[in-house]
Amino acid sequence: MCGIVGYIGRREAAPLLLEGLQRLEYRGYDSAGLAIHARNPGLKSAKAAGRVRDLESRLPKRFSGTTGIAHTRWATHGAPDDANAHPHLDATGRVAVVHNGIIDNASDLRARLAADGVTLASDTDTEVLAHLIGRSTAETLEARVREALGHIEGTYGIAVLHAGFPDRIVAARNGSPVVLGIGEHEMFVASDVAALVAHTRQVVTLDDGEMATLTADDYRTCTTEGSRTAPAPETVEWAAESYDLGGHDTYMHKEISEQADAVDRVLRGRIDDRFATVHLGGLNMDAREARGVRRVKILGCGSAYHAGLIGAQLVEELARIPADAEPASEFRYRNAVVDPDTLYVAVSQSGETYDTLAAVQELKRKGARVLGVVNVVGSAIARETDGGVYVHAGPEVCVVSTKCFTNTAVAFALLALHLGRIRDLSVSDGRRIIAGLRRLPEQIAEILRGEEEIRRLAAEYAEARSMMFVGRVRGYPVALEASLKLKEVSYVHAEAYPASELKHGPLALIEPALPTVAVLPDDDLLEKNRATLEEIKARGGPILAVGHERQEKADHTLVVPRNEPELDPVLLGVPLQLLAYHTALTLGRDIDKPRNLAKSVTVE
């Protein structure tokens, strides 16, 4: 959930490190810092609480050096202040470490170091690693890092400088992403390719238990036990411009506006008109294996979990396979029965979400077949699973997910259609769903053209201290995601319930001061949903409906185009993303960097 960037080469490191941190700031933004090998032997470091711009304003004019590491932090251990910002140094100031992850046995190690007379300067778990490396007497920096990691329990992605080894950076990974960037007479290391693509698109992704040594002209990798490895470089498909604002005021607005093109990308090259199905070669599962699936279990966290709920409904409706979704963070801690006939699907925008990755690893240990639905090629979940579907949403920089959520829901429609046509879904129904999929990009564009109406409504509802979101069956996952979006980005309290559950308790909350957003797809439950509106209206509750036609009992209705009923949730969520965005804008929130949140949750 923090950002790492490192550089070694012939250029001045500090400007490159600051640029990389700015591109990674969505991963952590409560403090930042950097350390470089100075031209005079030794290390120089600077760090500051706050944003990268606060760090930049504190840098001395003379901060020269061609090798350095930097970090932007999302606090886990210790308050977000200068002392707890990374990099952390050892007692001599000759070792600097930046670290993503959590060291589980940090308390024991801190106590042991303190007993040996070491004065700890921060409240962080990371500092112990700097001291352990600094106290090692091994001959090489790699050996010193390896020795220190032998004392560590937990997760880490690290980069290390040592004043005694000015020609190298050592990096290591266990549970937190580390990517190497290969340049011309220069090398980079980062926790995310976003920090690299302005300078190189040739990358190497480290596996768990792998280390790397970077020099200006080369790199080499090995396991943390010392055995050499040879990972092949890959070409990143996203260009540096993909991470620019492109004329928008915020990344969230940009990414909402990109959804028509993003959905077109996830469909491109996958539709098979001849057999009324889709090609998903990445599943690595033939028709016989697909027919053997007796249940589908979808695992994800946050927005990925909500997309999984939509996916489970699609699988049941189109493939007639029992399916459900569960938060990966809960699944991994219960003693779940792992059925060999169940297909497990792990969902993650980043492909690095720790709770989801841990669930995948537990499932693989028990012999389950696991697919991944992820956005980032070569990510940990993509590598650990047996196959899967890339959602091709493009980079998503805003902390809250919008276009990736939408593309994930569409990817599940593709998976459900694929499974359905292998089983009992008719050709005519396959063609109907394909026609609906092809209509989605233009229908999304149509919704986005109505942004001004949504802006006006957001200004009207922004003063509410709390909001209720309700939906039934297909509408319920949309209500959950819309509620989450509003909470994340505007800090307005919101709750989501199945509309059928309203009268079983939550109806007690309804009053004139509590607006309700009702998601009303035009399906066979429409009249029951209208009855829910009657219940709310009878108690004086304001109603904003989202559906395919104006609702008499609603104070306002956001009308979205009709698609096939199974695909309507994809469209119903889009205006509610804009509602959350404009509510946050009205309230003056920091939209791309909501408080307390980070983009890629790589810790527990």
Side-chain angles (χ1 to χ4, degrees):
M1 297 175 72
C2 307
I4 287 174
V5 59
Y7 172 79
I8 183 167
R10 300 176 181 179
R11 293 190 276 172
E12 284 293 332
L16 296 172
L17 295 174
L18 288 169
E19 175 199 312
L21 288 184
Q22 286 163 352
R23 291 189 179 275
L24 294 183
E25 200 167 12
Y26 65 98
R27 295 182 71 103
Y29 40 88
D30 60 34
S31 61
L34 73 164
I36 63 169
H37 278 294
R39 298 200 188 280
N40 296 321
L43 300 182
K44 290 198 289 191
S45 69
K47 48 190 186 175
R51 303 294 170 82
V52 174
R53 61 177 177 266
D54 299 310
L55 170 65
E56 189 170 10
S57 69
R58 288 201 192 180
L59 282 185
K61 291 190 185 299
R62 290 182 169 274
F63 207 76
S64 296
T66 58
T67 302
I69 56 176
H71 189 270
T72 183
R73 180 173 183 253
W74 185 87
T76 55
H77 290 67
D81 57 26
D82 290 4
N84 291 324
H86 297 214
H88 287 285
L89 307 181
D90 76 325
T92 67
R94 290 173 58 80
V95 175
V97 177
V98 291
H99 165 231
N100 293 348
I102 291 180
I103 298 174
D104 294 333
N105 61 333
S107 295
D108 291 342
L109 293 172
R110 287 175 65 90
R112 198 177 308 164
L113 288 166
D116 286 347
V118 175
T119 300
L120 293 156
S122 76
D123 300 318
T124 68
D125 55 342
T126 302
E127 188 185 352
V128 302
L129 191 51
H131 289 294
L132 291 172
I133 295 169
R135 289 159 67 86
S136 172
T137 58
E139 290 188 4
T140 66
L141 179 54
E142 294 84 348
R144 295 181 188 195
V145 172
R146 187 177 296 117
E147 180 183 320
L149 292 177
H151 297 286
I152 296 298
E153 298 172 9
T155 59
Y156 54 80
I158 62 169
V160 181
L161 295 184
H162 194 300
F165 303 89
D167 65 336
R168 65 197 54 206
I169 298 172
V170 172
R173 168 189 176 139
N174 183 49
S176 195
V178 175
V179 183
L180 314 181
I182 306 168
E184 289 289 331
H185 304 296
E186 58 185 6
M187 293 290 298
F188 300 82
V189 60
S191 54
D192 191 313
V193 295
L196 308 178
V197 291
H199 306 287
T200 179
R201 295 173 70 179
Q202 289 293 301
V203 302
V204 170
T205 303
L206 296 188
D207 284 324
D208 283 349
E210 197 166 21
M211 294 175 57
T213 300
L214 288 74
T215 62
D217 295 308
D218 199 7
Y219 71 94
R220 62 180 183 272
T221 60
C222 62
T223 68
T224 49
E225 283 76 39
S227 302
R228 288 296 300 268
T229 60
E234 299 174 308
T235 301
V236 177
E237 63 181 48
W238 299 336
E241 309 85 71
S242 303
Y243 295 90
D244 295 335
L245 279 167
H248 295 264
D249 293 330
T250 66
Y251 282 105
M252 183 177 182
H253 191 268
K254 177 194 178 197
E255 288 155 12
I256 290 172
S257 72
E258 289 175 337
Q259 289 180 105
D261 289 339
V263 169
D264 181 68
R265 277 198 303 275
V266 76
L267 298 176
R268 197 175 302 156
R270 285 173 161 167
I271 291 175
D272 179 352
D273 287 304
R274 180 183 177 190
F275 294 107
T277 186
V278 292
H279 295 296
L280 296 174
L283 297 182
N284 300 326
M285 183 169 60
D286 62 27
R288 184 182 297 275
E289 291 170 312
R291 286 194 66 85
V293 172
R294 293 291 173 262
R295 187 175 189 86
V296 175
K297 166 73 86 172
I298 301 170
L299 303 172
C301 298
S303 293
Y305 162 60
H306 297 158
L309 289 170
I310 294 174
Q313 291 184 3
L314 284 161
V315 168
E316 288 204 339
E317 290 180 317
L318 298 181
R320 304 306 297 156
I321 303 172
D324 68 300
E326 181 178 349
S329 51
E330 290 293 300
F331 177 86
R332 60 175 292 224
Y333 281 116
R334 64 182 186 83
N335 190 20
V337 176
V338 176
D339 184 348
D341 295 330
T342 296
L343 176 65
Y344 295 87
V345 184
V347 192
S348 169
Q349 178 268 331
S350 66
E352 304 285 351
T353 307
Y354 185 74
D355 282 312
T356 309
L357 177 59
V360 169
Q361 291 169 339
E362 177 67 4
L363 286 166
K364 294 295 291 178
R365 187 183 69 82
K366 293 181 175 179
R369 186 183 194 97
V370 189
L371 301 182
V373 177
V374 301
N375 191 41
V376 179
V377 175
S379 57
I381 291 172
R383 296 198 310 275
E384 295 250 3
T385 49
D386 298 297
V389 182
Y390 285 117
V391 305
H392 297 305
E396 194 174 63
V397 175
C398 178
V399 168
V400 302
S401 181
T402 52
K403 65 176 181 177
C404 193
F405 171 82
T406 298
N407 267 37
T408 301
V410 175
F412 272 117
L414 297 176
L415 177 61
L417 176 58
H418 172 76
L419 293 174
R421 286 291 294 124
I422 287 172
R423 297 165 75 91
D424 301 319
L425 189 72
S426 68
V427 170
S428 60
D429 273 334
R431 287 175 177 156
R432 177 178 62 83
I433 296 300
I434 286 172
L437 289 168
R438 284 185 164 135
R439 291 197 300 273
L440 286 174
E442 176 51 37
Q443 289 178 317
I444 291 171
E446 181 182 339
I447 293 168
L448 296 177
R449 288 192 288 269
E451 182 175 358
E452 181 58 28
E453 178 190 5
I454 299 170
R455 185 193 65 76
R456 289 194 301 269
L457 288 172
E460 183 172 334
Y461 285 102
E463 295 307 312
R465 296 184 61 186
S466 185
M467 294 184 75
M468 182 80 76
F469 289 76
V470 297
R472 193 183 293 254
V473 187
R474 293 189 183 107
Y476 177 52
V478 178
L480 278 171
E481 174 63 10
S483 169
L484 177 62
K485 283 291 151 286
L486 189 70
K487 284 181 282 212
E488 286 179 312
V489 77
S490 76
Y491 318 148
V492 173
H493 174 261
E495 292 192 54
Y497 279 92
S500 55
E501 283 290 296
L502 201 60
K503 57 185 172 292
H504 295 292
L507 200 59
L509 297 173
I510 299 298
E511 59 173 350
L514 180 73
T516 296
V517 177
V519 182
L520 283 76
D522 189 6
D523 55 20
D524 54 5
L525 296 173
L526 181 58
E527 290 307 317
K528 291 188 178 295
N529 280 323
R530 285 175 172 158
T532 300
L533 301 190
E534 294 273 8
E535 293 173 349
I536 296 168
K537 206 65 187 171
R539 290 153 179 84
I543 299 172
L544 170 59
V546 182
H548 301 113
E549 58 187 54
R550 300 272 169 200
Q551 297 300 319
E552 180 184 345
K553 292 298 178 181
D555 298 274
H556 304 95
T557 304
L558 292 173
V559 178
V560 303
R562 284 182 175 83
N563 201 296
E564 300 305 319
E566 297 92 339
L567 300 177
D568 278 334
V570 176
L571 298 172
L572 291 165
V574 175
L576 295 175
Q577 295 173 352
L578 284 170
L579 181 72
Y581 172 81
H582 283 289
T583 301
L585 197 64
T586 300
L587 295 172
R589 307 306 191 209
D590 190 347
I591 289 174
D592 286 335
K593 302 179 183 72
R595 67 188 183 197
N596 304 332
L597 301 179
K599 180 66 174 175
S600 181
V601 186
T602 56
V603 297
E604 287 194 75

